[in-house]
Coordinates of all heavy atoms in Angstrom, one line a residue:
M27 N 138.7 86.1 101.9 CA 139.0 85.7 103.3 C 139.1 87.0 104.2 O 139.7 88.0 103.8 CB 140.4 85.0 103.3 CG 140.8 84.5 104.7 SD 142.2 83.4 104.5 CE 143.0 83.7 106.0
Y28 N 138.4 86.9 105.3 CA 138.3 88.1 106.1 C 139.2 88.0 107.4 O 139.2 87.0 108.1 CB 136.9 88.3 106.7 CG 135.9 88.5 105.6 CD1 134.9 87.6 105.2 CD2 135.9 89.8 104.9 CE1 134.0 87.9 104.2 CE2 135.0 90.0 103.9 CZ 134.1 89.1 103.6 OH 133.2 89.3 102.6
S29 N 140.0 89.0 107.6 CA 140.8 89.1 108.8 C 139.8 89.6 109.9 O 138.8 90.2 109.6 CB 142.0 90.0 108.6 OG 141.5 91.3 108.5
P30 N 140.2 89.4 111.2 CA 139.3 89.9 112.2 C 139.2 91.4 112.1 O 138.1 92.0 112.4 CB 140.1 89.6 113.5 CG 140.9 88.4 113.1 CD 141.2 88.5 111.7
D31 N 140.2 92.1 111.6 CA 140.2 93.5 111.5 C 139.1 94.0 110.5 O 138.4 94.9 110.7 CB 141.5 94.0 111.1 CG 141.6 95.6 111.1 OD1 141.2 96.1 112.1 OD2 142.0 96.1 110.1
S32 N 139.0 93.2 109.3 CA 138.1 93.6 108.3 C 136.7 93.3 108.8 O 135.7 94.1 108.5 CB 138.4 93.0 107.0 OG 138.1 91.6 107.1
I33 N 136.5 92.3 109.6 CA 135.1 92.0 110.1 C 134.7 93.1 111.0 O 133.6 93.6 111.0 CB 135.1 90.6 110.8 CG1 135.3 89.5 109.8 CG2 133.8 90.5 111.6 CD1 135.5 88.2 110.3
F34 N 135.6 93.6 111.9 CA 135.3 94.7 112.8 C 134.9 95.9 112.0 O 133.9 96.5 112.3 CB 136.6 95.0 113.6 CG 136.4 96.1 114.5 CD1 135.6 96.1 115.6 CD2 137.1 97.3 114.3 CE1 135.4 97.2 116.4 CE2 136.9 98.4 115.1 CZ 136.1 98.4 116.2
R35 N 135.6 96.2 110.9 CA 135.3 97.4 110.2 C 133.9 97.2 109.5 O 133.1 98.1 109.4 CB 136.4 97.6 109.1 CG 137.3 98.7 109.6 CD 138.3 99.1 108.5 NE 139.5 98.3 108.5 CZ 139.9 97.6 107.5 NH1 139.3 97.6 106.4 NH2 141.0 96.8 107.6
R36 N 133.6 96.0 109.0 CA 132.3 95.8 108.4 C 131.2 96.0 109.4 O 130.2 96.6 109.1 CB 132.2 94.3 107.8 CG 133.0 94.2 106.5 CD 132.7 93.0 105.8 NE 132.4 91.8 106.7 CZ 131.5 90.9 106.4 NH1 130.8 90.9 105.3 NH2 131.4 89.9 107.2
N37 N 131.4 95.5 110.7 CA 130.4 95.6 111.7 C 130.2 97.1 112.0 O 129.1 97.5 112.3 CB 130.8 94.9 112.9 CG 130.6 93.4 112.7 OD1 129.9 93.0 111.8 ND2 131.2 92.6 113.6
R38 N 131.3 97.9 112.0 CA 131.1 99.3 112.3 C 130.2 100.0 111.3 O 129.6 101.0 111.6 CB 132.5 100.0 112.3 CG 133.2 99.8 113.6 CD 134.6 100.4 113.5 NE 134.6 101.8 113.0 CZ 134.4 102.8 113.8 NH1 134.2 102.6 115.1 NH2 134.4 104.0 113.3
H39 N 130.1 99.4 110.1 CA 129.2 100.0 109.1 C 127.8 99.5 109.2 O 126.9 100.0 108.5 CB 129.8 99.8 107.7 CG 131.0 100.6 107.4 ND1 130.9 101.9 107.2 CD2 132.3 100.3 107.4 CE1 132.2 102.4 107.0 NE2 133.0 101.4 107.1
R40 N 127.6 98.6 110.0 CA 126.2 98.0 110.2 C 125.3 99.1 110.8 O 125.8 99.9 111.7 CB 126.2 96.8 111.1 CG 125.1 95.8 110.8 CD 125.2 94.6 111.6 NE 125.3 95.0 113.0 CZ 125.6 94.2 114.0 NH1 125.7 92.9 113.8 NH2 125.6 94.6 115.3
Y41 N 124.1 99.2 110.4 CA 123.2 100.2 110.9 C 122.8 99.9 112.4 O 122.2 98.9 112.7 CB 121.9 100.3 110.1 CG 121.0 101.3 110.6 CD1 121.3 102.7 110.5 CD2 119.8 101.0 111.1 CE1 120.5 103.6 111.0 CE2 118.9 101.9 111.6 CZ 119.3 103.3 111.5 OH 118.4 104.2 112.0
E42 N 123.3 100.8 113.3 CA 123.0 100.6 114.7 C 122.7 102.0 115.3 O 123.6 102.8 115.5 CB 124.2 100.0 115.4 CG 123.9 99.5 116.8 CD 122.9 98.3 116.8 OE1 123.0 97.4 116.0 OE2 122.0 98.4 117.6
P43 N 121.4 102.3 115.6 CA 121.1 103.6 116.1 C 121.6 103.8 117.5 O 121.7 102.8 118.3 CB 119.5 103.6 116.1 CG 119.1 102.2 116.0 CD 120.2 101.4 115.4
T44 N 121.9 105.0 117.8 CA 122.3 105.3 119.2 C 121.1 105.3 120.1 O 120.0 105.2 119.6 CB 122.9 106.8 119.2 OG1 121.9 107.7 119.0 CG2 124.0 107.0 118.2
A45 N 121.4 105.4 121.4 CA 120.3 105.3 122.4 C 119.3 106.4 122.1 O 118.1 106.2 122.2 CB 120.8 105.4 123.8
D46 N 119.8 107.6 121.8 CA 118.9 108.8 121.6 C 118.1 108.5 120.3 O 116.9 108.8 120.3 CB 119.7 110.0 121.4 CG 120.0 110.7 122.7 OD1 119.8 110.1 123.7 OD2 120.5 111.9 122.6
M47 N 118.7 108.0 119.3 CA 118.0 107.7 118.1 C 116.9 106.6 118.3 O 115.8 106.8 117.9 CB 118.9 107.2 117.0 CG 119.8 108.3 116.5 SD 121.0 107.6 115.3 CE 121.9 109.1 114.9
A48 N 117.3 105.6 119.1 CA 116.3 104.5 119.3 C 115.1 105.0 120.2 O 114.1 104.4 120.1 CB 117.0 103.3 120.0
A49 N 115.3 106.1 120.9 CA 114.3 106.6 121.8 C 113.5 107.7 121.0 O 112.5 108.2 121.6 CB 114.9 107.2 123.0
G50 N 113.8 107.9 119.7 CA 113.1 108.9 119.0 C 113.5 110.3 119.4 O 112.7 111.3 119.2
L51 N 114.6 110.5 120.0 CA 115.0 111.8 120.5 C 116.1 112.5 119.7 O 116.5 113.6 119.9 CB 115.5 111.7 122.0 CG 114.5 111.2 122.9 CD1 115.1 110.9 124.3 CD2 113.4 112.3 123.1
S52 N 116.5 111.8 118.6 CA 117.4 112.5 117.7 C 117.2 111.9 116.3 O 116.8 110.7 116.2 CB 118.9 112.4 118.1 OG 119.3 111.1 118.1
C53 N 117.4 112.7 115.3 CA 117.2 112.3 113.9 C 118.2 111.1 113.6 O 119.4 111.2 113.9 CB 117.4 113.4 113.0 SG 117.4 113.0 111.2
V54 N 117.6 110.0 113.0 CA 118.5 108.9 112.7 C 119.4 109.1 111.6 O 120.4 108.4 111.4 CB 117.6 107.6 112.3 CG1 116.9 107.1 113.5 CG2 116.7 107.9 111.2
I55 N 119.2 110.2 110.8 CA 120.1 110.5 109.7 C 121.2 111.5 110.1 O 122.4 111.3 109.9 CB 119.3 111.0 108.5 CG1 118.3 109.9 108.0 CG2 120.3 111.3 107.3 CD1 119.0 108.6 107.6
C56 N 120.7 112.7 110.5 CA 121.7 113.8 110.8 C 122.0 113.9 112.2 O 122.9 114.7 112.6 CB 121.2 115.1 110.2 SG 119.8 115.8 111.0
G57 N 121.3 113.3 113.1 CA 121.6 113.3 114.5 C 121.1 114.6 115.2 O 121.4 114.8 116.4
T58 N 120.3 115.4 114.5 CA 119.7 116.6 115.2 C 118.9 116.2 116.4 O 118.2 115.2 116.4 CB 118.7 117.3 114.2 OG1 119.5 117.9 113.1 CG2 117.9 118.4 114.9
D59 N 119.1 117.0 117.5 CA 118.5 116.7 118.8 C 117.0 117.1 118.7 O 116.7 118.2 118.4 CB 119.2 117.5 119.8 CG 118.7 117.0 121.2 OD1 117.7 116.4 121.4 OD2 119.5 117.3 122.2
L60 N 116.1 116.1 118.8 CA 114.7 116.4 118.7 C 114.0 116.6 120.0 O 112.8 116.7 120.1 CB 114.0 115.2 118.0 CG 114.6 114.8 116.6 CD1 113.9 113.6 116.1 CD2 114.4 116.0 115.6
R61 N 114.8 116.8 121.1 CA 114.3 117.2 122.4 C 113.8 118.6 122.3 O 113.0 119.1 123.1 CB 115.3 117.0 123.5 CG 115.6 115.6 123.9 CD 116.6 115.6 125.0 NE 117.1 114.3 125.4 CZ 118.0 113.6 124.8 NH1 118.6 114.1 123.8 NH2 118.4 112.5 125.3
D62 N 114.4 119.4 121.5 CA 114.1 120.8 121.3 C 112.7 120.9 120.8 O 112.4 120.4 119.7 CB 115.1 121.4 120.4 CG 114.9 122.9 120.3 OD1 113.8 123.4 120.6 OD2 115.9 123.6 120.0
P63 N 111.8 121.5 121.6 CA 110.4 121.6 121.2 C 110.2 122.3 119.8 O 109.2 122.2 119.1 CB 109.7 122.5 122.3 CG 110.6 122.4 123.4 CD 112.0 122.2 122.9
R64 N 111.2 123.2 119.4 CA 111.1 123.8 118.1 C 111.3 122.9 117.0 O 110.9 123.1 115.9 CB 112.1 125.0 118.0 CG 111.8 126.2 118.9 CD 113.0 127.1 119.0 NE 114.1 126.4 119.6 CZ 115.3 127.0 119.9 NH1 115.5 128.3 119.6 NH2 116.2 126.4 120.5
R65 N 111.9 121.7 117.3 CA 112.1 120.7 116.3 C 110.8 119.8 116.2 O 110.9 118.6 116.5 CB 113.3 119.8 116.6 CG 114.6 120.5 116.7 CD 115.1 121.1 115.4 NE 114.9 120.2 114.3 CZ 115.4 120.3 113.1 NH1 116.1 121.4 112.8 NH2 115.1 119.5 112.1
S66 N 109.7 120.4 115.9 CA 108.5 119.6 115.9 C 108.2 119.1 114.5 O 107.1 118.6 114.3 CB 107.3 120.5 116.3 OG 107.3 121.7 115.5
D67 N 109.1 119.1 113.6 CA 108.9 118.7 112.2 C 109.4 117.2 112.0 O 109.5 116.8 110.9 CB 109.5 119.6 111.2 CG 111.0 119.8 111.4 OD1 111.5 119.4 112.5 OD2 111.6 120.3 110.5
A68 N 109.7 116.5 113.1 CA 110.2 115.2 112.9 C 109.1 114.2 112.5 O 107.9 114.4 113.0 CB 110.9 114.7 114.2
V69 N 109.4 113.3 111.7 CA 108.4 112.3 111.3 C 108.9 110.9 111.6 O 110.1 110.7 111.7 CB 108.0 112.4 109.8 CG1 107.3 113.8 109.6 CG2 109.2 112.2 108.9
V70 N 108.0 109.9 111.8 CA 108.4 108.5 112.0 C 109.0 108.0 110.7 O 108.3 108.1 109.6 CB 107.2 107.7 112.4 CG1 107.6 106.2 112.6 CG2 106.6 108.2 113.7
S71 N 110.2 107.5 110.7 CA 110.8 107.0 109.5 C 111.1 105.5 109.5 O 111.4 105.0 108.4 CB 112.1 107.8 109.3 OG 113.0 107.6 110.3
A72 N 111.1 104.9 110.6 CA 111.5 103.5 110.7 C 111.1 103.0 112.1 O 110.7 103.8 112.9 CB 112.9 103.3 110.4
H73 N 111.3 101.7 112.3 CA 111.1 101.1 113.6 C 112.3 100.3 113.9 O 113.0 99.7 113.1 CB 109.9 100.2 113.6 CG 108.6 100.9 113.4 ND1 107.9 100.9 112.2 CD2 107.9 101.7 114.3 CE1 106.8 101.7 112.3 NE2 106.8 102.2 113.6
H74 N 112.6 100.3 115.2 CA 113.8 99.5 115.7 C 113.4 98.9 117.0 O 113.1 99.6 118.0 CB 115.0 100.4 115.9 CG 116.2 99.7 116.4 ND1 116.9 98.8 115.6 CD2 116.8 99.7 117.6 CE1 117.9 98.3 116.3 NE2 117.9 98.8 117.5
E75 N 113.3 97.5 117.0 CA 112.9 96.8 118.2 C 111.7 97.4 118.9 O 111.6 97.6 120.1 CB 114.1 96.8 119.2 CG 115.3 96.1 118.7 CD 116.5 96.2 119.6 OE1 116.4 96.9 120.6 OE2 117.5 95.5 119.3
G76 N 110.7 97.6 118.0 CA 109.4 98.0 118.5 C 109.2 99.5 118.8 O 108.2 99.9 119.2
R77 N 110.3 100.3 118.6 CA 110.2 101.7 118.9 C 110.2 102.4 117.5 O 110.7 102.0 116.5 CB 111.4 102.2 119.7 CG 111.6 101.5 121.0 CD 112.8 102.1 121.7 NE 113.3 101.3 122.8 CZ 114.2 101.8 123.6 NH1 114.8 103.0 123.4 NH2 114.7 101.0 124.5
Q78 N 109.7 103.6 117.6 CA 109.7 104.5 116.5 C 111.1 105.2 116.3 O 111.7 105.6 117.3 CB 108.7 105.6 116.6 CG 107.3 105.1 116.6 CD 106.3 106.3 116.8 OE1 106.6 107.3 117.4 NE2 105.1 106.1 116.4
L79 N 111.6 105.2 115.1 CA 112.8 106.0 114.8 C 112.3 107.2 114.1 O 111.5 107.1 113.1 CB 113.8 105.2 114.0 CG 114.4 103.9 114.6 CD1 115.4 103.3 113.7 CD2 115.0 104.2 116.0
L80 N 112.8 108.4 114.5 CA 112.4 109.6 113.9 C 113.5 110.3 113.0 O 114.6 110.1 113.3 CB 111.9 110.6 115.0 CG 110.5 110.5 115.4 CD1 110.2 109.1 116.0 CD2 110.1 111.6 116.4
A81 N 113.0 111.0 112.0 CA 113.9 111.8 111.2 C 113.3 113.1 110.9 O 112.1 113.2 110.9 CB 114.3 111.0 109.9
C82 N 114.1 114.1 110.5 CA 113.6 115.4 110.1 C 112.7 115.2 108.9 O 113.1 114.4 108.0 CB 114.7 116.3 109.8 SG 116.1 116.4 111.0
R83 N 111.6 115.9 108.8 CA 110.8 115.9 107.6 C 111.6 116.4 106.5 O 112.4 117.4 106.6 CB 109.6 116.8 107.8 CG 108.6 116.8 106.7 CD 107.5 117.8 106.9 NE 106.7 117.5 108.2 CZ 105.7 116.7 108.2 NH1 105.2 116.1 107.1 NH2 105.1 116.5 109.4
G84 N 111.5 115.8 105.3 CA 112.2 116.2 104.2 C 113.4 115.2 103.8 O 113.1 114.0 103.7
R85 N 114.6 115.8 103.6 CA 115.7 115.0 103.1 C 116.0 113.8 104.1 O 116.2 112.7 103.6 CB 116.9 115.8 103.0 CG 118.1 115.1 102.4 CD 119.2 116.1 102.1 NE 120.4 115.3 101.8 CZ 121.3 114.9 102.8 NH1 121.0 115.2 104.0 NH2 122.3 114.2 102.5
C86 N 116.0 114.0 105.4 CA 116.4 112.9 106.3 C 115.3 111.8 106.3 O 115.6 110.7 106.2 CB 116.5 113.5 107.7 SG 117.9 114.6 107.9
A87 N 114.1 112.3 106.3 CA 113.0 111.3 106.3 C 113.0 110.5 105.0 O 112.8 109.3 104.9 CB 111.6 112.0 106.4
H88 N 113.4 111.2 103.9 CA 113.4 110.5 102.6 C 114.5 109.4 102.6 O 114.4 108.3 102.1 CB 113.6 111.5 101.5 CG 113.5 110.9 100.1 ND1 114.6 110.5 99.4 CD2 112.4 110.6 99.3 CE1 114.2 110.0 98.2 NE2 112.9 110.0 98.2
L89 N 115.7 109.8 103.1 CA 116.8 108.8 103.2 C 116.5 107.6 104.1 O 116.8 106.5 103.8 CB 118.1 109.5 103.8 CG 118.8 110.5 102.8 CD1 119.8 111.3 103.5 CD2 119.3 109.7 101.6
A90 N 115.7 107.9 105.2 CA 115.5 106.9 106.2 C 114.3 106.0 105.7 O 114.3 104.8 106.0 CB 115.2 107.5 107.5
S91 N 113.3 106.5 105.1 CA 112.1 105.8 104.9 C 111.7 105.7 103.4 O 110.8 104.9 103.0 CB 110.9 106.4 105.6 OG 110.5 107.6 105.0
G92 N 112.3 106.5 102.5 CA 112.0 106.6 101.1 C 110.9 107.6 100.8 O 110.5 107.8 99.7
S93 N 110.4 108.2 101.9 CA 109.4 109.3 101.7 C 109.8 110.5 102.5 O 110.1 110.3 103.7 CB 108.0 108.7 102.1 OG 107.1 109.8 102.3
S94 N 109.6 111.7 101.9 CA 110.0 112.9 102.7 C 109.1 113.2 103.8 O 109.4 114.0 104.7 CB 110.1 114.1 101.7 OG 108.8 114.3 101.2
T95 N 108.0 112.5 103.9 CA 107.1 112.7 105.0 C 107.1 111.5 105.9 O 106.2 111.4 106.8 CB 105.6 113.0 104.6 OG1 105.2 112.0 103.7 CG2 105.5 114.3 103.8
G96 N 108.0 110.5 105.7 CA 108.1 109.4 106.6 C 107.0 108.4 106.4 O 106.2 108.4 105.5
L97 N 106.8 107.6 107.4 CA 105.8 106.6 107.5 C 104.5 107.3 107.8 O 104.4 108.3 108.4 CB 106.1 105.5 108.5 CG 107.4 104.8 108.3 CD1 107.6 103.7 109.4 CD2 107.6 104.2 107.0
D98 N 103.4 106.6 107.4 CA 102.1 107.2 107.7 C 101.6 106.8 109.1 O 100.8 106.0 109.4 CB 101.0 106.6 106.7 CG 99.7 107.3 106.8 OD1 99.6 108.4 107.4 OD2 98.7 106.8 106.3
E99 N 102.3 107.5 110.1 CA 102.1 107.1 111.5 C 102.6 108.3 112.3 O 103.7 108.9 112.1 CB 103.1 106.0 111.7 CG 103.1 105.5 113.2 CD 104.0 104.3 113.3 OE1 104.2 103.5 112.4 OE2 104.6 104.1 114.4
P100 N 101.7 108.8 113.2 CA 102.1 110.0 114.0 C 103.2 109.6 115.1 O 103.1 108.5 115.7 CB 100.8 110.4 114.7 CG 100.0 109.1 114.8 CD 100.4 108.3 113.6
P101 N 104.2 110.4 115.3 CA 105.2 110.1 116.3 C 104.6 110.3 117.7 O 103.6 111.0 117.9 CB 106.3 111.2 116.1 CG 105.7 112.2 115.3 CD 104.5 111.7 114.6
L102 N 105.1 109.5 118.7 CA 104.7 109.7 120.1 C 105.0 111.1 120.5 O 106.0 111.7 120.0 CB 105.5 108.7 121.0 CG 105.1 107.2 120.9 CD1 106.1 106.4 121.8 CD2 103.7 107.0 121.5
P103 N 104.2 111.6 121.4 CA 104.5 113.0 121.9 C 105.9 113.0 122.5 O 106.4 112.0 123.1 CB 103.5 113.2 123.0 CG 102.4 112.2 122.7 CD 103.0 111.1 122.0
L104 N 106.6 114.1 122.5 CA 107.9 114.3 123.0 C 108.0 113.8 124.5 O 108.9 113.1 124.9 CB 108.4 115.7 122.9 CG 109.8 116.0 123.5 CD1 110.9 115.3 122.8 CD2 110.1 117.5 123.4
A105 N 107.0 114.2 125.3 CA 107.0 113.9 126.7 C 107.1 112.4 126.9 O 107.7 111.9 127.8 CB 105.8 114.5 127.4
E106 N 106.3 111.7 126.1 CA 106.2 110.2 126.2 C 107.6 109.6 125.8 O 108.1 108.6 126.4 CB 105.1 109.7 125.3 CG 104.9 108.2 125.3 CD 104.6 107.6 126.7 OE1 104.2 108.4 127.6 OE2 104.7 106.4 126.8
R107 N 108.2 110.1 124.7 CA 109.5 109.6 124.3 C 110.5 109.8 125.4 O 111.3 108.9 125.6 CB 109.9 110.3 123.0 CG 109.2 109.7 121.7 CD 109.7 110.5 120.5 NE 108.8 111.6 120.1 CZ 109.1 112.7 119.7 NH1 110.4 113.0 119.5 NH2 108.3 113.7 119.4
L108 N 110.5 111.0 126.0 CA 111.4 111.3 127.1 C 111.2 110.3 128.3 O 112.1 109.8 128.9 CB 111.3 112.7 127.5 CG 111.9 113.8 126.6 CD1 111.5 115.2 127.0 CD2 113.4 113.7 126.6
R109 N 109.9 110.1 128.6 CA 109.6 109.3 129.7 C 110.2 107.9 129.5 O 110.8 107.2 130.3 CB 108.1 109.2 129.9 CG 107.7 108.6 131.3 CD 106.2 108.5 131.4 NE 105.7 107.5 130.4 CZ 105.8 106.2 130.5 NH1 106.4 105.7 131.6 NH2 105.3 105.3 129.6
R110 N 109.9 107.3 128.3 CA 110.4 106.0 128.0 C 111.9 105.9 128.0 O 112.5 104.9 128.4 CB 109.8 105.6 126.6 CG 108.3 105.4 126.6 CD 107.9 104.8 125.3 NE 106.4 104.6 125.3 CZ 105.8 103.9 124.5 NH1 106.4 103.2 123.5 NH2 104.4 103.8 124.5
H111 N 112.5 107.0 127.5 CA 114.0 107.0 127.4 C 114.6 106.9 128.8 O 115.5 106.2 129.1 CB 114.4 108.3 126.7 CG 115.9 108.3 126.4 ND1 116.6 107.3 125.9 CD2 116.8 109.3 126.7 CE1 117.9 107.6 125.8 NE2 118.0 108.8 126.3
R112 N 114.0 107.7 129.7 CA 114.5 107.8 131.1 C 114.2 106.5 131.8 O 115.1 106.1 132.6 CB 113.8 108.9 131.8 CG 114.4 110.3 131.6 CD 114.0 111.3 132.7 NE 112.5 111.5 132.6 CZ 112.0 112.5 132.0 NH1 112.7 113.4 131.3 NH2 110.7 112.6 131.9
S113 N 113.1 105.9 131.5 CA 112.8 104.6 132.3 C 113.5 103.4 131.7 O 113.4 102.3 132.2 CB 111.3 104.4 132.3 OG 110.8 104.1 131.0
G114 N 114.1 103.6 130.5 CA 114.8 102.6 129.8 C 113.9 101.6 129.2 O 114.3 100.5 128.8
A115 N 112.6 101.9 129.0 CA 111.6 101.0 128.4 C 111.8 101.0 126.9 O 112.3 101.9 126.3 CB 110.2 101.4 128.8
Ligands
LIG222 ZN1 117.8 115.0 110.2

């Protein structure tokens, strides 16, 4: 039997990416900010509501997608990810 409190706690553990993660602007695993042009090693690791979710190549990508190189799909350019994030699309 679940109390409302335990349901709340269970929901908190449900996978829910932040706005930055959903926009492909931060790693879905470690939260590294991918707006930094030097962070060009991010790979597509999953999809969420039609958007690409990105993770750092290597350990993060492996945790997110099961492959250290992510999905076989190129990420959108950073400028395009930023534009969509700003426009709320
Ligand atoms: Zn990461």
Side-chain angles (χ1 to χ4, degrees):
M27 186 167 145
Y28 295 111
S29 71
D31 186 51
S32 72
I33 290 168
F34 175 69
R35 261 186 272 124
R36 283 193 325 145
N37 285 346
R38 277 174 54 84
H39 288 285
R40 208 179 52 186
Y41 180 66
E42 193 62 47
T44 66
D46 273 9
M47 289 175 181
L51 294 172
S52 64
C53 171
V54 292
I55 300 298
C56 69
T58 290
D59 192 340
L60 302 175
R61 289 181 182 83
D62 187 333
R64 287 169 297 183
R65 301 291 319 191
S66 57
D67 58 345
V69 295
V70 179
S71 61
H73 295 100
H74 179 71
E75 293 175 355
R77 303 185 196 184
Q78 295 175 336
L79 298 183
L80 273 63
C82 314
R83 184 185 300 273
R85 183 173 168 274
C86 292
H88 189 263
L89 286 172
S91 71
S93 163
S94 61
T95 54
L97 306 181
D98 187 16
E99 177 180 330
L102 284 172
L104 176 62
E106 178 64 13
R107 280 179 267 142
L108 283 170
R109 192 187 66 76
R110 292 188 183 197
H111 185 51
R112 276 196 300 265
S113 69

